[in-house]
Amino acid sequence: MVQWQVTRLLSRSRSGSPRAGNYPGRVSDTPSGTPSGTPSGTPSGAGDRLVRLGAIVFFVGAVATLVTVAPLFLGTEPFPSVAYAVCMLMGVGFVIAAAGVLRTIAVQRRQARSAAR
């Protein structure tokens, strides 16, 4: 009974709301020394923007693929071949996102090399 009450007291903050674990101090979601919003402390750069752009282009291509293939299953008149060309945006979006990942890797490697010197 006493252990249950102690556990209950340790798992709640002063305001009465539960918090993660039973750590008695203040708990922060972001690690110390890093600005909020960036998990590793690296600034958001062009590589991140390329990944976001690639995801958007990939999503547009995926929707175009669903729209283009649907008439084939529904038995209606298929779309013109230009619509099938729009489906290629899925691959283009994947390549753009991969380029963003590679660019981010290159920037982080440069930062690590300069910090090691």
Side-chain angles (χ1 to χ4, degrees):
M1 175 88 175
V2 174
Q3 184 178 1
W4 176 78
Q5 289 175 343
V6 170
T7 305
R8 185 173 167 215
L9 287 174
L10 288 176
S11 66
R12 297 203 174 264
S13 66
R14 291 183 185 146
S15 64
S17 62
R19 70 177 161 190
N22 59 1
Y23 184 71
R26 186 171 182 195
V27 179
S28 174
D29 290 336
T30 58
S32 62
T34 61
S36 63
T38 56
S40 63
T42 58
S44 177
D48 295 338
R49 288 190 295 268
L50 281 175
V51 170
R52 288 187 188 119
L53 177 66
I56 292 168
V57 171
F58 182 88
F59 181 72
V60 169
V63 170
T65 300
L66 291 174
V67 169
T68 305
V69 174
L72 300 176
F73 290 113
L74 299 175
T76 60
E77 188 69 27
F79 287 108
S81 58
V82 174
Y84 291 96
V86 175
C87 296
M88 299 301 280
L89 287 177
M90 283 178 61
V92 172
F94 184 77
V95 168
I96 292 171
V101 168
L102 293 175
R103 189 169 184 181
T104 301
I105 290 170
V107 167
Q108 289 178 353
R109 289 179 90 189
R110 266 187 248 122
Q111 287 176 349
R113 283 184 187 152
S114 66
R117 290 182 186 180

